[in-house]
Amino acid sequence: MPQSLKGKHDHGPLKFPDGFLWGSATSAYQVEGGNIHSDWGDLAGLACDQYHRYKEDFELAKKLGHNAHRLSIEWSRIEPQEGEFDQSEIDHYVKLLKYLKKLNMTVMLTLWHFTLPMWVADKGGWENGKTVFYFERYLKKIIPYIGDYVDLWVTINEPGVYIYETYIERVWPHAKKSLWSQIKTFLNLASAHKKAYRLLHQTYPAGKPVGMANNIMSFESFHKHSFIEQLAVSLNDFFINHLFYFLTRGTHDFLGINYYFHVRFKHKGVTPLPDSRLMQTHDISDLGWEVYPEGIFDALTDLSDDIPIYITECGIASTNDDRRNRFLLMYLQEVSRAIRSGVNVRGFFYWSLIDNFEWHLGFEPRFGLVEVDYETQKRTPRNSARVYSEIIKRNAIPHDLLKLLGHGIRVEDVLKEKIEE
Ligand code: FCB
């Protein structure tokens, strides 16, 4: 954390800067459906059928007041076989992006969000240095078609999470135990990011900011003065939060931060959740992830540099929507605090617009502002979608809602009254 930010306190109104981007994020494989050429095969099935329902979904986001949207395109649709590009799929994405622009949305496009064409995976995926070349060749093909409709580029999504799930947890395709594979994958993803950055800058010299989305975690030691715990904090912070940026320095016009996790290191192992005393005041998500709003403040102030920051993902899996309301209010309160402390945050993308396919966890986790009934594909905005709209409309966190936090009053009930007034 830069010295200048330390200890700064401000009690002003929780306004966000003018021009702040408010939106939500999705990724192609998780929502589109009918993706059969990727290394995840047919696992997501029809997913949310957004491939056919994109108009409805984008209109919904617009109606909810969003002024920006983050989404990705699916490489395996566009290049299902090596070197064979499917023009009808390129046309599809052009149509879809044009539609977002027609709705006057700022478009943030992710070029790689976890899935690979099967043929790339068969050749070793990101472990294979040649994949960087395949990726660049693919980008050279599609960028001229889609570039005019994109405002902000995210080259790749969360290299660390990809490596963790594939080579450490081993729950994603091509799982295997190999440190060498992890290192090669990390270096190749860094090189893919740099290549994409340069290519995009050659194509759009006048600008169109380019960045990537990194999973940033907030680390803490359980005991303030434990050497081992402090060492664990420092090493994890360096490897997880800073190493990728270090390897790719000079190739980021903004920092894209996905924030979900807070971890405390305890002398004998890790405690992912606070002790029972703290648990009384802290929510957890349906996935057991701790709700720890202060962590996003710490992450933002720790990463703060001289380039803008976008929170490219932040959200909670919960079937208890009032928990999502509290999550939104508390996390955004911390984002606002970071801004008032001098961090240049320019936008927030809630994960996710709609419930979707959560990788190896399937359809059970409900991250959406909008509920999806997978039987009928019916979309129903949750109350939290309205809380979020309210914040967007005022470009501020309403004090009246904030006051209720901690008083055991359901945000939902109060908001209902407000809307009915
Ligand atoms: C992030 C991923 C995103 C989604 C959320 C919950 O790590 O980028 O695709 O799975 O977590």
Side-chain angles (χ1 to χ4, degrees), residues 321-391:
D321 197 43
D322 212 48
R323 192 167 284 166
R324 190 173 352 265
N325 286 333
R326 286 197 298 273
F327 176 97
L328 275 168
L329 291 170
M330 292 191 297
Y331 276 61
L332 286 170
Q333 190 178 11
E334 292 296 324
V335 173
S336 148
R337 190 158 76 91
I339 294 172
R340 281 176 294 127
S341 306
V343 182
N344 187 7
V345 186
R346 299 266 182 92
F348 181 89
F349 293 81
Y350 177 81
W351 182 274
S352 175
L353 176 64
I354 51 179
D355 292 336
N356 60 52
F357 176 74
E358 181 49 31
W359 307 114
H360 61 291
L361 301 171
F363 289 101
E364 193 93 347
R366 299 285 182 157
F367 276 95
L369 292 168
V370 175
E371 183 187 343
V372 174
D373 176 336
Y374 293 109
E375 297 272 301
T376 59
Q377 290 297 344
K378 188 172 173 335
R379 274 67 167 147
T380 312
R382 295 192 162 100
N383 198 269
S384 50
R386 286 183 271 275
V387 170
Y388 193 43
S389 296
E390 206 50 38
I391 296 170

Coordinates of all heavy atoms in Angstrom, one line a residue, residues 321-391:
D321 N -31.2 -13.9 -1.1 CA -30.9 -12.7 -1.9 C -30.7 -11.5 -1.0 O -30.0 -10.5 -1.3 CB -32.1 -12.4 -2.8 CG -31.7 -11.4 -3.9 OD1 -30.5 -11.5 -4.4 OD2 -32.4 -10.5 -4.2
D322 N -31.1 -11.5 0.3 CA -30.9 -10.4 1.2 C -29.4 -10.4 1.5 O -28.8 -9.4 1.8 CB -31.7 -10.4 2.4 CG -32.0 -9.0 2.9 OD1 -32.4 -8.2 2.0 OD2 -31.8 -8.7 4.1
R323 N -28.8 -11.6 1.5 CA -27.3 -11.7 1.7 C -26.6 -11.0 0.6 O -25.6 -10.3 0.8 CB -27.0 -13.2 1.8 CG -25.6 -13.4 2.2 CD -25.4 -14.9 2.6 NE -26.0 -15.2 3.8 CZ -26.2 -16.5 4.2 NH1 -25.8 -17.5 3.5 NH2 -26.8 -16.8 5.4
R324 N -27.1 -11.1 -0.7 CA -26.5 -10.5 -1.8 C -26.7 -8.9 -1.7 O -25.8 -8.2 -2.0 CB -27.2 -10.9 -3.1 CG -26.4 -10.5 -4.3 CD -26.9 -11.1 -5.7 NE -27.9 -12.1 -5.5 CZ -27.6 -13.4 -5.4 NH1 -26.4 -13.8 -5.6 NH2 -28.6 -14.3 -5.2
N325 N -27.9 -8.5 -1.1 CA -28.1 -7.1 -0.9 C -27.0 -6.5 0.0 O -26.4 -5.5 -0.2 CB -29.5 -6.8 -0.3 CG -30.6 -7.0 -1.3 OD1 -30.3 -6.8 -2.5 ND2 -31.7 -7.4 -0.9
R326 N -26.8 -7.2 1.1 CA -25.8 -6.8 2.1 C -24.4 -6.8 1.5 O -23.6 -5.9 1.7 CB -25.9 -7.7 3.3 CG -27.1 -7.4 4.2 CD -26.8 -8.0 5.6 NE -26.6 -9.5 5.6 CZ -27.6 -10.4 5.7 NH1 -28.8 -10.0 5.7 NH2 -27.3 -11.7 5.6
F327 N -24.2 -7.8 0.7 CA -22.9 -7.9 0.1 C -22.6 -6.7 -0.8 O -21.6 -6.1 -0.7 CB -22.9 -9.2 -0.8 CG -21.6 -9.5 -1.6 CD1 -20.6 -10.3 -1.1 CD2 -21.5 -8.9 -2.9 CE1 -19.5 -10.5 -1.9 CE2 -20.3 -9.1 -3.6 CZ -19.3 -9.9 -3.1
L328 N -23.6 -6.4 -1.6 CA -23.4 -5.3 -2.6 C -23.2 -4.0 -1.8 O -22.2 -3.2 -2.1 CB -24.7 -5.1 -3.4 CG -24.8 -5.9 -4.7 CD1 -26.2 -5.9 -5.2 CD2 -23.8 -5.5 -5.7
L329 N -24.0 -3.7 -0.8 CA -23.9 -2.5 -0.1 C -22.5 -2.4 0.7 O -21.8 -1.4 0.6 CB -25.0 -2.3 1.0 CG -26.4 -2.1 0.4 CD1 -27.5 -2.2 1.4 CD2 -26.4 -0.7 -0.3
M330 N -22.1 -3.5 1.3 CA -20.9 -3.5 2.1 C -19.6 -3.4 1.2 O -18.7 -2.7 1.5 CB -20.8 -4.7 3.0 CG -21.9 -4.6 4.1 SD -21.7 -5.8 5.4 CE -21.9 -7.3 4.5
Y331 N -19.6 -4.2 0.1 CA -18.5 -4.2 -0.8 C -18.3 -2.8 -1.5 O -17.3 -2.3 -1.6 CB -18.5 -5.3 -1.8 CG -18.0 -6.6 -1.2 CD1 -18.6 -7.2 -0.1 CD2 -16.9 -7.3 -1.7 CE1 -18.1 -8.4 0.5 CE2 -16.4 -8.4 -1.2 CZ -17.0 -9.0 -0.1 OH -16.6 -10.2 0.5
L332 N -19.5 -2.3 -1.9 CA -19.4 -1.0 -2.6 C -19.0 0.1 -1.7 O -18.4 1.1 -2.1 CB -20.7 -0.7 -3.4 CG -20.8 -1.6 -4.6 CD1 -22.2 -1.5 -5.2 CD2 -19.8 -1.3 -5.7
Q333 N -19.4 0.0 -0.5 CA -19.0 1.0 0.5 C -17.5 1.0 0.7 O -16.9 2.0 0.8 CB -19.6 0.6 1.9 CG -19.5 1.6 3.0 CD -20.2 1.1 4.2 OE1 -20.6 0.0 4.4 NE2 -20.4 2.0 5.2
E334 N -16.9 -0.2 0.6 CA -15.4 -0.3 0.7 C -14.8 0.2 -0.6 O -13.7 0.8 -0.5 CB -15.0 -1.7 1.0 CG -15.4 -2.2 2.4 CD -14.7 -1.5 3.5 OE1 -13.5 -1.1 3.3 OE2 -15.3 -1.3 4.6
V335 N -15.4 0.0 -1.7 CA -14.8 0.5 -3.0 C -14.9 2.0 -2.9 O -13.9 2.7 -3.3 CB -15.7 0.0 -4.2 CG1 -15.2 0.6 -5.5 CG2 -15.6 -1.6 -4.3
S336 N -16.0 2.5 -2.4 CA -16.1 4.0 -2.3 C -15.0 4.5 -1.4 O -14.4 5.6 -1.6 CB -17.5 4.3 -1.9 OG -17.5 5.5 -1.1
R337 N -14.8 3.8 -0.3 CA -13.8 4.3 0.7 C -12.4 4.3 0.0 O -11.6 5.2 0.2 CB -13.8 3.3 1.9 CG -13.0 3.8 3.1 CD -13.5 3.1 4.3 NE -13.0 1.7 4.5 CZ -11.9 1.3 5.0 NH1 -11.1 2.2 5.6 NH2 -11.6 0.0 5.1
A338 N -12.1 3.2 -0.8 CA -10.8 3.2 -1.5 C -10.7 4.4 -2.5 O -9.7 5.0 -2.5 CB -10.7 1.9 -2.2
I339 N -11.8 4.7 -3.1 CA -11.8 5.8 -4.1 C -11.5 7.1 -3.3 O -10.6 7.9 -3.7 CB -13.1 5.9 -4.9 CG1 -13.2 4.7 -5.8 CG2 -13.1 7.2 -5.7 CD1 -14.6 4.6 -6.5
R340 N -12.1 7.3 -2.2 CA -11.9 8.5 -1.4 C -10.5 8.6 -0.8 O -10.1 9.6 -0.4 CB -13.0 8.7 -0.4 CG -14.3 9.2 -1.0 CD -15.5 9.3 -0.1 NE -15.8 8.0 0.4 CZ -16.0 7.6 1.6 NH1 -15.7 8.4 2.6 NH2 -16.3 6.4 1.9
S341 N -9.9 7.4 -0.7 CA -8.5 7.4 -0.2 C -7.5 7.6 -1.4 O -6.3 7.5 -1.1 CB -8.2 6.0 0.4 OG -9.1 5.7 1.4
G342 N -8.0 7.8 -2.6 CA -7.1 8.1 -3.7 C -6.9 7.0 -4.7 O -6.1 7.2 -5.6
V343 N -7.6 5.9 -4.6 CA -7.4 4.8 -5.6 C -8.3 5.1 -6.8 O -9.5 5.5 -6.6 CB -7.8 3.4 -5.0 CG1 -7.6 2.3 -6.0 CG2 -7.0 3.1 -3.7
N344 N -7.7 5.0 -7.9 CA -8.4 5.4 -9.2 C -9.3 4.2 -9.7 O -8.9 3.6 -10.7 CB -7.3 5.8 -10.2 CG -7.9 6.4 -11.4 OD1 -9.1 6.6 -11.5 ND2 -7.0 6.6 -12.4
V345 N -10.4 4.0 -9.0 CA -11.3 2.9 -9.5 C -12.3 3.5 -10.5 O -12.9 4.5 -10.1 CB -12.0 2.2 -8.3 CG1 -12.8 1.0 -8.9 CG2 -11.1 1.8 -7.3
R346 N -12.4 2.9 -11.6 CA -13.3 3.5 -12.7 C -14.6 2.7 -13.0 O -15.4 3.2 -13.8 CB -12.5 3.7 -14.0 CG -11.3 4.5 -13.9 CD -11.6 6.0 -14.3 NE -10.4 6.8 -14.3 CZ -9.6 7.0 -15.3 NH1 -9.9 6.4 -16.5 NH2 -8.5 7.7 -15.2
G347 N -14.7 1.5 -12.4 CA -15.9 0.8 -12.8 C -16.0 -0.5 -11.9 O -15.0 -1.0 -11.3
F348 N -17.2 -1.0 -11.9 CA -17.5 -2.2 -11.1 C -18.4 -3.1 -11.9 O -19.4 -2.7 -12.4 CB -18.2 -1.8 -9.8 CG -18.5 -2.9 -8.9 CD1 -17.6 -3.3 -7.9 CD2 -19.7 -3.6 -8.9 CE1 -17.9 -4.4 -7.0 CE2 -20.0 -4.7 -8.1 CZ -19.1 -5.0 -7.1
F349 N -17.9 -4.4 -12.1 CA -18.7 -5.4 -12.8 C -19.1 -6.5 -11.9 O -18.3 -7.3 -11.5 CB -17.9 -5.9 -14.0 CG -17.7 -4.9 -15.1 CD1 -16.6 -4.0 -14.9 CD2 -18.4 -4.8 -16.2 CE1 -16.3 -3.0 -15.9 CE2 -18.2 -3.8 -17.2 CZ -17.1 -2.9 -17.0
Y350 N -20.4 -6.5 -11.5 CA -20.8 -7.6 -10.6 C -20.8 -8.9 -11.3 O -21.2 -9.0 -12.5 CB -22.3 -7.3 -10.1 CG -22.8 -8.4 -9.2 CD1 -22.4 -8.4 -7.9 CD2 -23.6 -9.4 -9.7 CE1 -22.8 -9.5 -7.1 CE2 -24.0 -10.4 -8.9 CZ -23.6 -10.5 -7.6 OH -24.0 -11.6 -6.8
W351 N -20.3 -10.0 -10.6 CA -20.4 -11.3 -11.2 C -21.6 -12.0 -10.5 O -21.6 -12.2 -9.3 CB -19.2 -12.1 -10.9 CG -19.3 -13.5 -11.5 CD1 -19.9 -14.6 -11.0 CD2 -18.9 -13.9 -12.9 NE1 -19.9 -15.6 -11.9 CE2 -19.3 -15.2 -13.0 CE3 -18.3 -13.2 -13.9 CZ2 -19.1 -15.9 -14.2 CZ3 -18.1 -13.9 -15.1 CH2 -18.5 -15.2 -15.2
S352 N -22.7 -12.2 -11.2 CA -22.8 -12.1 -12.6 C -24.2 -11.6 -13.0 O -25.0 -11.4 -12.1 CB -22.7 -13.6 -13.2 OG -22.9 -13.6 -14.6
L353 N -24.4 -11.2 -14.2 CA -25.8 -10.7 -14.6 C -26.8 -11.8 -14.3 O -27.8 -11.5 -13.6 CB -25.8 -10.4 -16.1 CG -27.2 -9.9 -16.6 CD1 -27.6 -8.6 -15.9 CD2 -27.1 -9.7 -18.1
I354 N -26.6 -13.0 -14.7 CA -27.6 -14.1 -14.6 C -26.9 -15.3 -13.9 O -25.7 -15.5 -14.0 CB -28.2 -14.5 -15.9 CG1 -27.1 -14.8 -17.0 CG2 -29.1 -13.5 -16.5 CD1 -27.6 -15.2 -18.3
D355 N -27.7 -16.1 -13.3 CA -27.1 -17.4 -12.8 C -26.5 -18.1 -14.0 O -27.0 -18.0 -15.1 CB -28.3 -18.3 -12.2 CG -28.9 -17.7 -11.0 OD1 -28.2 -17.0 -10.3 OD2 -30.1 -18.1 -10.7
N356 N -25.5 -18.9 -13.7 CA -24.9 -19.6 -14.9 C -24.1 -20.8 -14.4 O -24.1 -21.2 -13.3 CB -24.0 -18.6 -15.7 CG -22.9 -18.0 -14.9 OD1 -22.1 -18.7 -14.2 ND2 -22.8 -16.7 -14.9
F357 N -23.4 -21.4 -15.4 CA -22.6 -22.7 -15.2 C -21.3 -22.3 -14.5 O -20.4 -21.7 -15.0 CB -22.4 -23.3 -16.5 CG -21.5 -24.5 -16.5 CD1 -22.1 -25.7 -16.0 CD2 -20.2 -24.5 -16.9 CE1 -21.3 -26.9 -16.0 CE2 -19.4 -25.7 -16.8 CZ -20.0 -26.8 -16.4
E358 N -21.2 -22.7 -13.2 CA -20.1 -22.4 -12.4 C -19.0 -23.5 -12.5 O -18.7 -24.2 -11.5 CB -20.5 -22.1 -11.0 CG -19.4 -21.7 -10.0 CD -18.4 -20.6 -10.5 OE1 -18.8 -19.7 -11.3 OE2 -17.2 -20.7 -10.1
W359 N -18.5 -23.7 -13.7 CA -17.4 -24.7 -14.0 C -17.6 -26.0 -13.3 O -18.8 -26.6 -13.4 CB -16.1 -24.0 -13.5 CG -15.9 -22.7 -14.2 CD1 -15.9 -21.5 -13.6 CD2 -15.8 -22.4 -15.6 NE1 -15.8 -20.5 -14.5 CE2 -15.7 -21.0 -15.8 CE3 -15.8 -23.2 -16.8 CZ2 -15.6 -20.4 -17.0 CZ3 -15.7 -22.6 -18.0 CH2 -15.6 -21.2 -18.1
H360 N -16.7 -26.6 -12.6 CA -16.8 -27.9 -12.0 C -17.9 -28.0 -11.0 O -18.3 -29.1 -10.5 CB -15.5 -28.5 -11.4 CG -15.0 -27.6 -10.3 ND1 -14.5 -26.3 -10.5 CD2 -14.9 -27.8 -9.0 CE1 -14.1 -25.8 -9.4 NE2 -14.3 -26.7 -8.4
L361 N -18.4 -26.9 -10.5 CA -19.5 -26.9 -9.5 C -20.9 -26.9 -10.1 O -21.9 -27.0 -9.4 CB -19.3 -25.6 -8.6 CG -18.0 -25.6 -7.8 CD1 -17.9 -24.2 -7.1 CD2 -17.9 -26.7 -6.8
G362 N -20.9 -26.8 -11.4 CA -22.2 -27.0 -12.1 C -23.1 -25.8 -12.0 O -22.7 -24.6 -11.8
F363 N -24.4 -26.1 -11.9 CA -25.4 -25.0 -12.0 C -26.0 -24.6 -10.6 O -26.8 -23.8 -10.4 CB -26.6 -25.4 -12.8 CG -26.3 -25.4 -14.3 CD1 -26.0 -26.6 -15.0 CD2 -26.2 -24.2 -15.0 CE1 -25.6 -26.6 -16.3 CE2 -25.8 -24.2 -16.3 CZ -25.6 -25.4 -17.0
E364 N -25.5 -25.3 -9.6 CA -26.0 -25.1 -8.2 C -25.7 -23.7 -7.7 O -26.6 -23.0 -7.2 CB -25.3 -26.2 -7.3 CG -26.0 -26.3 -6.0 CD -27.1 -27.3 -5.9 OE1 -27.5 -27.8 -7.0 OE2 -27.5 -27.7 -4.8
P365 N -24.5 -23.2 -7.8 CA -24.2 -21.9 -7.2 C -25.0 -20.8 -8.0 O -25.0 -20.8 -9.2 CB -22.7 -21.7 -7.4 CG -22.2 -23.0 -7.7 CD -23.3 -23.8 -8.3
R366 N -25.6 -19.9 -7.2 CA -26.5 -18.9 -7.8 C -25.8 -17.5 -7.6 O -26.0 -16.9 -6.6 CB -27.8 -18.9 -7.2 CG -28.6 -20.2 -7.4 CD -29.1 -20.3 -8.8 NE -29.8 -21.5 -9.1 CZ -30.7 -21.6 -10.0 NH1 -30.9 -20.6 -10.9 NH2 -31.3 -22.8 -10.2
F367 N -25.1 -17.1 -8.6 CA -24.4 -15.8 -8.5 C -25.2 -14.6 -9.1 O -24.8 -13.5 -9.0 CB -23.1 -15.8 -9.3 CG -21.9 -16.4 -8.6 CD1 -21.6 -17.8 -8.7 CD2 -21.1 -15.7 -7.7 CE1 -20.5 -18.3 -8.0 CE2 -20.0 -16.2 -7.1 CZ -19.7 -17.5 -7.2
G368 N -26.3 -14.9 -9.8 CA -27.0 -13.9 -10.6 C -27.7 -12.8 -9.9 O -28.3 -13.0 -8.8
L369 N -27.7 -11.6 -10.5 CA -28.6 -10.6 -10.1 C -30.0 -11.0 -10.6 O -31.0 -10.6 -10.1 CB -28.2 -9.2 -10.7 CG -26.9 -8.6 -10.3 CD1 -26.6 -7.4 -11.2 CD2 -27.1 -8.1 -8.9
V370 N -29.9 -11.8 -11.6 CA -31.2 -12.3 -12.3 C -31.2 -13.8 -12.1 O -30.2 -14.5 -12.4 CB -31.2 -11.9 -13.7 CG1 -32.4 -12.5 -14.4 CG2 -31.1 -10.3 -13.9
E371 N -32.3 -14.3 -11.6 CA -32.4 -15.7 -11.5 C -32.8 -16.4 -12.8 O -33.6 -15.9 -13.6 CB -33.6 -16.0 -10.5 CG -33.8 -17.5 -10.2 CD -35.0 -17.7 -9.3 OE1 -35.5 -16.8 -8.7 OE2 -35.4 -18.9 -9.3
V372 N -32.2 -17.6 -13.1 CA -32.5 -18.3 -14.3 C -33.2 -19.6 -13.9 O -32.7 -20.3 -13.0 CB -31.3 -18.6 -15.1 CG1 -31.6 -19.5 -16.3 CG2 -30.6 -17.3 -15.6
D373 N -34.3 -19.9 -14.4 CA -35.0 -21.1 -14.3 C -34.5 -22.0 -15.4 O -34.9 -21.8 -16.6 CB -36.5 -20.9 -14.3 CG -37.3 -22.2 -14.2 OD1 -36.7 -23.3 -14.6 OD2 -38.5 -22.2 -13.8
Y374 N -33.7 -23.0 -15.2 CA -33.0 -23.7 -16.2 C -34.0 -24.6 -17.0 O -33.7 -25.0 -18.1 CB -31.8 -24.5 -15.7 CG -30.7 -23.6 -15.2 CD1 -30.4 -23.5 -13.9 CD2 -30.0 -22.9 -16.1 CE1 -29.4 -22.7 -13.4 CE2 -28.9 -22.0 -15.7 CZ -28.7 -21.9 -14.4 OH -27.7 -21.1 -13.9
E375 N -35.2 -24.9 -16.4 CA -36.2 -25.7 -17.1 C -36.8 -24.9 -18.3 O -37.0 -25.4 -19.4 CB -37.3 -26.1 -16.2 CG -36.9 -26.9 -15.0 CD -36.9 -28.4 -15.4 OE1 -38.0 -28.8 -15.7 OE2 -35.9 -29.1 -15.3
T376 N -37.1 -23.6 -17.9 CA -37.9 -22.8 -18.9 C -37.0 -21.7 -19.5 O -37.5 -21.0 -20.4 CB -39.1 -22.1 -18.2 OG1 -38.5 -21.3 -17.1 CG2 -40.0 -23.1 -17.6
Q377 N -35.8 -21.5 -18.9 CA -35.0 -20.4 -19.3 C -35.6 -19.0 -19.0 O -35.2 -18.0 -19.6 CB -34.6 -20.5 -20.8 CG -33.7 -21.6 -21.2 CD -32.3 -21.5 -20.5 OE1 -31.9 -20.5 -20.0 NE2 -31.6 -22.6 -20.5
K378 N -36.5 -19.0 -18.1 CA -37.1 -17.7 -17.7 C -36.2 -17.0 -16.8 O -35.5 -17.5 -15.9 CB -38.4 -18.0 -17.0 CG -39.3 -16.8 -16.7 CD -40.6 -17.2 -16.1 CE -41.5 -16.1 -15.6 NZ -41.0 -14.9 -15.2
R379 N -36.0 -15.7 -17.1 CA -35.2 -14.8 -16.3 C -36.1 -14.0 -15.3 O -37.1 -13.4 -15.8 CB -34.5 -13.7 -17.2 CG -33.2 -14.1 -17.9 CD -33.3 -15.2 -18.9 NE -32.1 -15.3 -19.6 CZ -31.6 -16.4 -20.1 NH1 -32.2 -17.5 -20.0 NH2 -30.5 -16.4 -20.9
T380 N -35.7 -14.0 -14.1 CA -36.4 -13.2 -13.1 C -35.5 -12.3 -12.3 O -34.7 -12.9 -11.5 CB -37.2 -14.1 -12.1 OG1 -38.0 -15.0 -12.9 CG2 -38.2 -13.3 -11.3
P381 N -35.5 -11.0 -12.4 CA -34.6 -10.2 -11.7 C -34.8 -10.4 -10.2 O -36.0 -10.4 -9.7 CB -34.9 -8.7 -12.1 CG -35.5 -8.9 -13.4 CD -36.3 -10.2 -13.4
R382 N -33.7 -10.5 -9.4 CA -33.9 -10.7 -8.0 C -34.0 -9.3 -7.4 O -33.7 -8.3 -8.1 CB -32.7 -11.4 -7.4 CG -32.5 -12.8 -7.9 CD -31.5 -13.6 -7.0 NE -31.7 -15.0 -7.2 CZ -30.9 -15.8 -8.0 NH1 -30.0 -15.3 -8.7 NH2 -31.2 -17.1 -8.1
N383 N -34.3 -9.2 -6.1 CA -34.4 -7.9 -5.5 C -33.1 -7.2 -5.5 O -33.0 -6.0 -5.6 CB -34.9 -8.2 -4.0 CG -35.4 -6.9 -3.4 OD1 -34.6 -6.2 -2.8 ND2 -36.6 -6.6 -3.7
S384 N -32.0 -8.0 -5.4 CA -30.6 -7.4 -5.4 C -30.4 -6.7 -6.7 O -29.6 -5.7 -6.7 CB -29.6 -8.5 -5.1 OG -29.8 -9.5 -6.0
A385 N -31.0 -7.1 -7.8 CA -30.8 -6.4 -9.1 C -31.4 -5.0 -8.9 O -30.8 -4.1 -9.5 CB -31.6 -7.2 -10.2
R386 N -32.4 -4.9 -8.1 CA -33.0 -3.5 -7.9 C -32.2 -2.7 -7.0 O -32.0 -1.5 -7.1 CB -34.5 -3.7 -7.4 CG -35.4 -4.1 -8.6 CD -36.8 -4.1 -8.1 NE -37.2 -5.5 -7.6 CZ -37.5 -6.5 -8.4 NH1 -37.6 -6.4 -9.7 NH2 -37.8 -7.7 -7.8
V387 N -31.6 -3.3 -6.0 CA -30.7 -2.6 -5.1 C -29.5 -2.0 -5.9 O -29.2 -0.9 -5.8 CB -30.2 -3.5 -3.9 CG1 -29.1 -2.9 -3.1 CG2 -31.3 -3.9 -3.0
Y388 N -29.0 -2.9 -6.7 CA -27.9 -2.5 -7.6 C -28.3 -1.3 -8.5 O -27.6 -0.3 -8.6 CB -27.4 -3.7 -8.4 CG -26.0 -3.5 -9.1 CD1 -25.0 -2.9 -8.4 CD2 -25.9 -3.9 -10.4 CE1 -23.7 -2.7 -9.0 CE2 -24.6 -3.8 -11.0 CZ -23.6 -3.2 -10.3 OH -22.4 -3.0 -11.0
S389 N -29.5 -1.4 -9.1 CA -30.0 -0.3 -10.0 C -30.1 1.0 -9.2 O -29.8 2.0 -9.7 CB -31.5 -0.6 -10.4 OG -31.5 -1.8 -11.2
E390 N -30.6 0.9 -8.0 CA -30.8 2.1 -7.1 C -29.4 2.8 -6.9 O -29.3 4.0 -7.0 CB -31.3 1.5 -5.8 CG -32.1 2.4 -4.9 CD -33.3 3.2 -5.6 OE1 -34.0 2.6 -6.5 OE2 -33.5 4.4 -5.3
I391 N -28.4 2.0 -6.7 CA -27.0 2.5 -6.5 C -26.6 3.2 -7.8 O -26.0 4.3 -7.8 CB -26.1 1.4 -6.0 CG1 -26.5 0.8 -4.7 CG2 -24.6 1.9 -6.0 CD1 -25.7 -0.4 -4.3

